[in-house]
Amino acid sequence: MFKLIDRGQSRTLVLIAGWAFDPAVFSSLELPYNYLVWHGRAQTDYFANRLQETLIKVHLPKVALLGWSQGAYLAANFAKKNSGQIGRAHV
């Protein structure tokens, strides 16, 4: 349920839209990151499990998180429980 957009950057930003928003809400961003875009349900445990699986699969030890609406809640909840996997944001 994640789509990795390799923009040739050294860091990756997870983009999480809320339950009533399309991930296209992030389409105008131009940040110095690769993007890992969530295209799934905005449910806490489901999201957290899929993100953990994806980080292992694509070999990403640390990421930054950006959530919109319910996505902000998912991002904060994941960061709280997995602080070792959250990198420092540089924008």
Side-chain angles (χ1 to χ4, degrees):
M1 297 304 257
F2 281 95
K3 178 181 179 184
L4 180 61
I5 301 171
D6 186 347
R7 302 178 68 238
Q9 302 294 323
S10 61
R11 297 166 296 172
T12 301
L13 179 63
V14 179
L15 300 172
I16 315 143
W19 66 268
F21 293 91
D22 188 277
V25 72
F26 300 116
S27 64
S28 65
L29 290 180
E30 282 296 328
L31 300 173
Y33 290 89
N34 297 318
Y35 300 143
L36 188 59
V37 184
W38 175 241
H39 289 272
R41 295 179 285 169
Q43 295 177 348
T44 305
D45 292 334
Y46 182 79
F47 167 79
N49 292 338
R50 298 300 80 76
L51 181 54
Q52 286 288 8
E53 291 169 0
T54 302
L55 295 179
I56 292 167
K57 181 179 176 182
V58 298
H59 310 287
L60 290 171
K62 289 190 180 239
V63 293
L65 302 169
L66 176 63
W68 176 264
S69 188
Q70 177 71 13
Y73 171 77
L74 295 176
N77 190 57
F78 184 86
K80 178 181 172 185
K81 294 179 179 178
N82 302 281
S83 61
Q85 292 178 284
I86 307 304
R88 201 168 135 204
H90 304 279
V91 180

